[in-house]
């Protein structure tokens, strides 16, 4: 049973760099948490090409952005254009997605993937990682330069 979960933002990395970053951590499953799993600027990170590319490396692809994505359509999750993470975290759909993620993480070495390289600008840090910390998971952000940032229980990150 694993209690370690990684996160990564695909950014505008070449696919080969993305693979290098996740293979270095021996990742076996990519969990895509983008609400809209498509990329105009890096089309190889769109859902179908990404899934096919990962398959070549024997890495499983799972899409959960429809449940735990950070850009819900419902206006009730926003105040003056800002996403209210605490409201989204309480939502039944989010909780269902979190349960699925917890199950996947218990038996697989996973990375949660979104598009934003900097986790401090992404819901994978401000929402998903915080939910996982409450379930005693260790969360580590993989940065684009290869650095690892461990998310501490006080919700701060540090390099290690």
């Amino acid at each position: 049973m694993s209690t370690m979960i990684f996160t990564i933002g695909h950014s505008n990395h070449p696919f080969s760099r993305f693979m290098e970053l996740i293979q270095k951590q021996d990742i076996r499953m990519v969990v895509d948490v983008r609400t809209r799993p498509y990329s105009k600027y890096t089309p190889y990170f769109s859902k179908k090409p990404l899934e096919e590319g990962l398959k070549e490396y024997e890495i499983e692809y799972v899409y959960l952005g429809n449940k735990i994505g950070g850009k819900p359509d419902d206006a009730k999750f926003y105040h003056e254009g800002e996403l209210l993470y605490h409201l989204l975290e309480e939502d039944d759909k989010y909780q269902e997605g979190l349960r699925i993620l917890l199950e996947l993480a218990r038996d697989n070495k996973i990375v949660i993937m979104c598009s934003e390289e900097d986790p401090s600008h992404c819901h994978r840090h401000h929402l998903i990682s915080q939910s996982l910390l409450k379930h005693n998971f260790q969360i580590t952000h993989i940065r684009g330069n290869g650095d690892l940032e461990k998310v501490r229980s006080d919700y701060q990150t540090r390099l290690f």
Side-chain angles (χ1 to χ4, degrees):
M1 179 172 120
S2 175
T3 58
M4 170 69 81
I5 295 179
F6 291 89
T7 85
I8 193 168
H10 68 66
S11 188
N12 60 354
H13 296 305
F15 186 72
S16 59
R17 175 66 178 152
F18 176 78
M19 290 308 303
E20 178 184 321
L21 290 168
I22 67 171
Q23 285 183 308
K24 191 173 185 181
Q25 304 308 320
D26 196 31
I27 300 298
R28 304 308 318 148
M29 179 182 288
V30 171
V31 178
D32 187 347
V33 296
R34 298 173 295 169
T35 303
R36 293 163 195 84
Y38 306 100
S39 179
K40 178 180 178 181
Y41 300 103
T42 53
Y44 43 89
F45 285 116
S46 292
K47 186 177 180 182
K48 190 71 172 164
L50 176 60
E51 187 173 11
E52 290 171 3
L54 291 170
K55 199 177 290 185
E56 290 180 27
Y57 290 88
E58 298 180 358
I59 296 175
E60 190 173 350
Y61 173 87
V62 175
Y63 177 69
L64 283 180
N66 57 339
K67 298 187 184 306
I68 60 176
K71 295 182 180 177
D73 291 328
D74 196 328
K76 75 179 182 180
F77 297 115
Y78 297 89
H79 177 70
E80 296 179 0
E82 292 288 319
L83 179 61
L84 301 175
Y85 294 113
H86 69 283
L87 292 180
L88 188 53
E89 186 176 28
E90 295 168 358
D91 185 68
D92 289 342
K93 187 191 297 187
Y94 177 84
Q95 286 299 316
E96 178 188 351
L98 182 62
R99 280 191 296 278
I100 294 168
L101 182 60
L102 291 169
E103 281 180 34
L104 293 171
R106 294 194 193 286
D107 298 325
N108 300 283
K109 192 157 188 188
I110 71 170
V111 66
I112 297 167
M113 185 202 78
C114 202
S115 57
E116 177 62 51
E117 189 281 328
D118 185 347
S120 70
H121 298 285
C122 186
H123 84 292
R124 73 179 193 276
H125 173 75
H126 295 291
L127 177 62
I128 299 171
S129 292
Q130 306 313 312
S131 296
L132 292 168
L133 287 171
K134 294 172 187 174
H135 289 273
N136 299 314
F137 279 84
Q138 297 173 358
I139 313 302
T140 303
H141 300 307
I142 303 171
R143 299 302 303 269
N145 64 2
D147 285 348
L148 300 177
E149 292 181 1
K150 183 176 172 113
V151 180
R152 299 187 323 202
S153 59
D154 62 359
Y155 305 139
Q156 295 178 1
T157 60
R158 64 180 167 84
L159 293 174
F160 71 94

Coordinates of all heavy atoms in Angstrom, one line a residue, residues 32-79:
D32 N -5.1 12.3 -14.8 CA -5.3 13.6 -15.4 C -6.4 14.3 -14.7 O -7.6 13.8 -14.6 CB -5.6 13.4 -16.9 CG -5.7 14.6 -17.7 OD1 -5.7 15.8 -17.1 OD2 -5.7 14.5 -18.9
V33 N -6.2 15.4 -14.0 CA -7.2 16.1 -13.3 C -7.6 17.5 -13.9 O -8.1 18.4 -13.3 CB -6.8 16.4 -11.8 CG1 -6.6 15.0 -11.1 CG2 -5.5 17.2 -11.7
R34 N -7.3 17.6 -15.2 CA -7.7 18.8 -15.9 C -9.2 18.7 -16.3 O -9.6 17.7 -16.7 CB -6.9 19.0 -17.3 CG -5.4 19.1 -17.1 CD -4.7 19.1 -18.4 NE -4.8 17.7 -19.0 CZ -4.4 17.4 -20.2 NH1 -3.9 18.4 -21.0 NH2 -4.6 16.2 -20.7
T35 N -9.9 19.8 -16.0 CA -11.3 19.8 -16.3 C -11.5 19.6 -17.8 O -12.4 18.9 -18.2 CB -11.9 21.2 -15.9 OG1 -11.7 21.3 -14.5 CG2 -13.4 21.2 -16.2
R36 N -10.7 20.3 -18.6 CA -10.7 20.1 -20.0 C -9.4 19.5 -20.5 O -8.4 20.3 -20.6 CB -11.0 21.5 -20.7 CG -12.4 22.0 -20.4 CD -12.6 23.5 -20.6 NE -13.8 24.0 -20.0 CZ -13.9 24.4 -18.7 NH1 -12.8 24.3 -18.0 NH2 -15.0 24.8 -18.2
P37 N -9.4 18.2 -20.8 CA -8.1 17.6 -21.0 C -7.6 17.7 -22.5 O -7.3 16.8 -23.2 CB -8.4 16.1 -20.7 CG -9.8 16.0 -21.1 CD -10.5 17.3 -20.8
Y38 N -7.4 19.0 -22.8 CA -6.9 19.3 -24.2 C -5.9 20.4 -24.1 O -5.9 21.2 -23.2 CB -8.1 19.7 -25.1 CG -9.2 18.6 -25.1 CD1 -10.3 18.8 -24.3 CD2 -9.0 17.5 -25.8 CE1 -11.3 17.8 -24.2 CE2 -10.0 16.5 -25.7 CZ -11.1 16.7 -24.9 OH -12.0 15.7 -24.9
S39 N -5.0 20.4 -25.0 CA -4.0 21.5 -25.0 C -3.8 22.0 -26.4 O -3.4 21.3 -27.4 CB -2.6 20.9 -24.5 OG -1.6 21.9 -24.6
K40 N -4.0 23.3 -26.6 CA -3.9 23.9 -27.9 C -2.4 24.1 -28.3 O -2.1 23.9 -29.4 CB -4.6 25.3 -27.8 CG -4.5 26.1 -29.1 CD -5.2 27.5 -28.8 CE -5.1 28.4 -30.0 NZ -5.7 29.6 -29.8
Y41 N -1.6 24.4 -27.3 CA -0.2 24.7 -27.5 C 0.7 23.4 -27.5 O 1.8 23.4 -28.1 CB 0.3 25.7 -26.5 CG -0.4 27.0 -26.6 CD1 -1.4 27.3 -25.7 CD2 -0.2 27.9 -27.7 CE1 -2.1 28.5 -25.8 CE2 -1.0 29.0 -27.8 CZ -1.9 29.3 -26.9 OH -2.6 30.5 -27.0
T42 N 0.3 22.4 -26.8 CA 1.0 21.2 -26.7 C 0.0 20.0 -27.0 O -0.4 19.3 -26.0 CB 1.8 21.0 -25.4 OG1 0.8 21.2 -24.3 CG2 2.9 22.0 -25.2
P43 N -0.4 19.8 -28.2 CA -1.4 18.9 -28.5 C -1.1 17.4 -28.1 O -2.1 16.7 -27.9 CB -1.6 19.0 -30.0 CG -0.4 19.7 -30.6 CD 0.1 20.5 -29.4
Y44 N 0.1 17.1 -27.9 CA 0.5 15.7 -27.5 C 0.1 15.5 -26.0 O 0.1 14.4 -25.5 CB 2.0 15.4 -27.7 CG 2.9 16.6 -27.3 CD1 3.4 16.7 -26.0 CD2 3.3 17.5 -28.3 CE1 4.2 17.7 -25.7 CE2 4.1 18.5 -27.9 CZ 4.6 18.6 -26.6 OH 5.4 19.7 -26.3
F45 N -0.4 16.6 -25.3 CA -0.9 16.4 -24.0 C -2.4 16.4 -24.0 O -3.0 16.4 -22.9 CB -0.4 17.5 -23.0 CG 1.0 17.3 -22.6 CD1 2.0 18.2 -23.0 CD2 1.4 16.2 -21.9 CE1 3.4 17.9 -22.6 CE2 2.7 15.9 -21.5 CZ 3.7 16.8 -21.9
S46 N -3.1 16.5 -25.1 CA -4.5 16.3 -25.2 C -4.8 14.8 -24.8 O -3.9 13.9 -25.0 CB -5.0 16.6 -26.6 OG -4.9 18.0 -26.8
K47 N -6.0 14.6 -24.4 CA -6.3 13.3 -23.8 C -5.9 12.1 -24.6 O -5.2 11.2 -24.1 CB -7.8 13.3 -23.5 CG -8.3 12.0 -22.7 CD -9.8 12.1 -22.4 CE -10.2 10.9 -21.6 NZ -11.6 10.9 -21.4
K48 N -6.4 12.0 -25.8 CA -6.1 10.8 -26.6 C -4.7 10.6 -26.9 O -4.1 9.5 -26.7 CB -7.0 10.9 -27.9 CG -7.0 9.6 -28.7 CD -7.8 8.5 -28.0 CE -8.0 7.3 -28.9 NZ -8.4 6.1 -28.1
P49 N -3.9 11.6 -27.5 CA -2.5 11.4 -27.8 C -1.7 11.1 -26.5 O -0.8 10.3 -26.5 CB -2.1 12.7 -28.4 CG -3.3 13.4 -28.8 CD -4.4 12.9 -27.9
L50 N -2.1 11.7 -25.4 CA -1.4 11.5 -24.1 C -1.6 10.0 -23.7 O -0.6 9.3 -23.3 CB -1.9 12.4 -23.0 CG -1.3 12.2 -21.6 CD1 0.2 12.3 -21.6 CD2 -1.9 13.1 -20.6
E51 N -2.8 9.6 -23.7 CA -3.1 8.2 -23.4 C -2.3 7.2 -24.2 O -1.7 6.2 -23.7 CB -4.6 7.9 -23.5 CG -5.1 6.6 -23.0 CD -6.6 6.5 -22.9 OE1 -7.3 7.3 -23.5 OE2 -7.0 5.5 -22.3
E52 N -2.3 7.5 -25.5 CA -1.5 6.6 -26.4 C 0.0 6.7 -26.2 O 0.7 5.6 -26.2 CB -1.9 7.0 -27.9 CG -3.3 6.6 -28.3 CD -3.7 7.2 -29.6 OE1 -2.8 7.8 -30.3 OE2 -4.9 7.0 -30.0
G53 N 0.5 7.9 -25.9 CA 1.9 8.0 -25.7 C 2.3 7.3 -24.4 O 3.4 6.7 -24.3
L54 N 1.5 7.4 -23.4 CA 1.8 6.7 -22.1 C 1.8 5.2 -22.2 O 2.6 4.5 -21.6 CB 0.8 7.2 -21.0 CG 1.0 8.6 -20.5 CD1 -0.2 9.0 -19.6 CD2 2.3 8.8 -19.8
K55 N 0.9 4.7 -23.0 CA 0.7 3.3 -23.3 C 2.0 2.7 -23.8 O 2.4 1.6 -23.4 CB -0.4 3.0 -24.2 CG -0.9 1.6 -24.2 CD -2.1 1.4 -25.1 CE -3.3 2.2 -24.6 NZ -4.5 2.0 -25.4
E56 N 2.7 3.4 -24.6 CA 4.0 3.0 -25.2 C 5.0 2.8 -24.1 O 6.0 2.0 -24.3 CB 4.5 4.0 -26.2 CG 3.7 4.0 -27.5 CD 4.3 5.0 -28.5 OE1 5.5 5.3 -28.5 OE2 3.5 5.5 -29.3
Y57 N 4.9 3.4 -23.0 CA 5.8 3.3 -21.8 C 5.2 2.4 -20.7 O 5.8 2.3 -19.6 CB 6.1 4.7 -21.2 CG 7.0 5.5 -22.1 CD1 6.4 6.3 -23.1 CD2 8.4 5.5 -22.0 CE1 7.2 7.1 -23.9 CE2 9.2 6.3 -22.8 CZ 8.6 7.1 -23.8 OH 9.4 7.9 -24.6
E58 N 4.1 1.8 -21.1 CA 3.4 0.9 -20.1 C 3.0 1.6 -18.8 O 3.1 1.1 -17.7 CB 4.2 -0.4 -19.8 CG 4.5 -1.2 -21.0 CD 5.3 -2.5 -20.8 OE1 5.7 -2.7 -19.6 OE2 5.5 -3.2 -21.7
I59 N 2.5 2.9 -19.1 CA 2.0 3.7 -18.0 C 0.5 3.9 -18.2 O 0.1 4.3 -19.3 CB 2.8 5.0 -17.9 CG1 4.2 4.8 -17.5 CG2 2.1 6.0 -16.9 CD1 5.1 6.0 -17.5
E60 N -0.3 3.6 -17.2 CA -1.7 3.7 -17.3 C -2.2 5.1 -17.2 O -1.6 5.9 -16.5 CB -2.4 2.8 -16.2 CG -3.8 2.7 -16.4 CD -4.4 1.7 -15.3 OE1 -3.7 1.0 -14.6 OE2 -5.7 1.7 -15.3
Y61 N -3.2 5.5 -18.0 CA -3.8 6.8 -18.0 C -5.2 6.7 -17.4 O -6.0 5.8 -17.8 CB -3.8 7.3 -19.4 CG -4.6 8.6 -19.5 CD1 -4.0 9.9 -19.3 CD2 -6.0 8.7 -19.8 CE1 -4.6 11.1 -19.4 CE2 -6.7 9.9 -20.0 CZ -6.0 11.1 -19.8 OH -6.7 12.2 -19.9
V62 N -5.5 7.6 -16.4 CA -6.9 7.7 -15.9 C -7.3 9.1 -15.9 O -6.5 10.0 -15.5 CB -6.9 7.1 -14.4 CG1 -8.2 7.3 -13.8 CG2 -6.5 5.7 -14.4
Y63 N -8.5 9.4 -16.3 CA -9.0 10.7 -16.4 C -10.0 10.9 -15.2 O -11.0 10.2 -15.1 CB -9.7 11.0 -17.7 CG -10.3 12.4 -17.7 CD1 -9.5 13.5 -17.8 CD2 -11.7 12.6 -17.7 CE1 -10.1 14.8 -17.8 CE2 -12.3 13.8 -17.7 CZ -11.4 14.9 -17.7 OH -12.0 16.2 -17.7
L64 N -9.7 11.9 -14.4 CA -10.7 12.3 -13.3 C -11.0 13.7 -13.3 O -11.7 14.2 -12.3 CB -10.0 11.9 -11.9 CG -10.0 10.4 -11.5 CD1 -9.4 10.2 -10.1 CD2 -11.5 9.9 -11.5
G65 N -10.6 14.5 -14.3 CA -10.9 15.9 -14.3 C -12.4 16.2 -14.3 O -12.8 17.3 -13.9
N66 N -13.2 15.3 -14.8 CA -14.7 15.5 -14.8 C -15.3 15.5 -13.3 O -16.4 15.9 -13.1 CB -15.4 14.5 -15.6 CG -15.1 13.1 -15.2 OD1 -14.1 12.8 -14.5 ND2 -16.0 12.1 -15.6
K67 N -14.5 15.0 -12.4 CA -14.9 14.9 -11.0 C -14.1 15.9 -10.1 O -14.7 16.5 -9.2 CB -14.8 13.5 -10.5 CG -15.7 12.6 -11.2 CD -15.7 11.2 -10.6 CE -16.6 10.2 -11.4 NZ -17.9 10.6 -11.7
I68 N -12.8 16.0 -10.3 CA -11.9 16.7 -9.4 C -11.2 17.8 -10.1 O -10.1 18.3 -9.7 CB -11.0 15.9 -8.5 CG1 -10.1 15.0 -9.4 CG2 -11.8 15.0 -7.6 CD1 -9.1 14.2 -8.6
G69 N -11.7 18.2 -11.3 CA -11.0 19.3 -12.1 C -11.2 20.6 -11.4 O -12.1 20.8 -10.6
G70 N -10.3 21.6 -11.7 CA -10.2 22.8 -11.0 C -11.0 24.0 -11.7 O -10.8 25.1 -11.3
K71 N -11.8 23.7 -12.7 CA -12.5 24.7 -13.4 C -14.0 24.3 -13.6 O -14.4 24.1 -14.8 CB -11.8 25.0 -14.8 CG -10.5 25.6 -14.6 CD -9.8 26.0 -15.9 CE -8.5 26.6 -15.7 NZ -7.8 26.9 -16.9
P72 N -14.7 24.1 -12.5 CA -16.1 23.6 -12.7 C -16.9 24.7 -13.4 O -16.6 25.9 -13.3 CB -16.5 23.4 -11.2 CG -15.6 24.3 -10.4 CD -14.3 24.3 -11.1
D73 N -17.9 24.3 -14.1 CA -18.8 25.2 -14.8 C -19.8 25.9 -13.9 O -20.2 27.0 -14.2 CB -19.6 24.5 -15.9 CG -18.7 24.0 -17.0 OD1 -17.7 24.7 -17.3 OD2 -18.9 22.9 -17.6
D74 N -20.1 25.3 -12.8 CA -21.2 25.8 -11.9 C -20.7 27.1 -11.2 O -19.7 27.0 -10.5 CB -21.6 24.7 -10.9 CG -22.9 25.1 -10.2 OD1 -23.2 26.2 -10.0 OD2 -23.6 24.1 -9.8
A75 N -21.4 28.2 -11.3 CA -21.1 29.4 -10.7 C -21.1 29.4 -9.2 O -20.4 30.3 -8.5 CB -22.0 30.5 -11.2
K76 N -21.7 28.4 -8.6 CA -21.8 28.4 -7.1 C -20.4 28.2 -6.5 O -20.2 28.4 -5.3 CB -22.8 27.3 -6.7 CG -22.2 25.9 -6.8 CD -23.2 24.8 -6.3 CE -22.7 23.4 -6.4 NZ -23.7 22.4 -6.0
F77 N -19.4 27.7 -7.3 CA -18.1 27.5 -6.7 C -17.2 28.7 -6.8 O -16.0 28.6 -6.4 CB -17.4 26.3 -7.5 CG -18.2 25.0 -7.3 CD1 -18.8 24.4 -8.3 CD2 -18.2 24.4 -6.0 CE1 -19.4 23.2 -8.2 CE2 -18.9 23.2 -5.8 CZ -19.5 22.6 -6.9
Y78 N -17.7 29.8 -7.3 CA -16.9 31.0 -7.5 C -17.4 32.2 -6.7 O -18.6 32.3 -6.5 CB -16.8 31.4 -9.0 CG -16.2 30.3 -9.9 CD1 -17.0 29.3 -10.4 CD2 -14.9 30.3 -10.1 CE1 -16.4 28.3 -11.2 CE2 -14.3 29.3 -11.0 CZ -15.1 28.3 -11.5 OH -14.5 27.4 -12.3
H79 N -16.5 33.1 -6.4 CA -16.8 34.4 -5.8 C -16.0 35.4 -6.5 O -14.7 35.4 -6.4 CB -16.6 34.4 -4.3 CG -16.9 35.8 -3.7 ND1 -18.2 36.3 -3.6 CD2 -16.1 36.7 -3.2 CE1 -18.1 37.5 -3.1 NE2 -16.9 37.8 -2.8

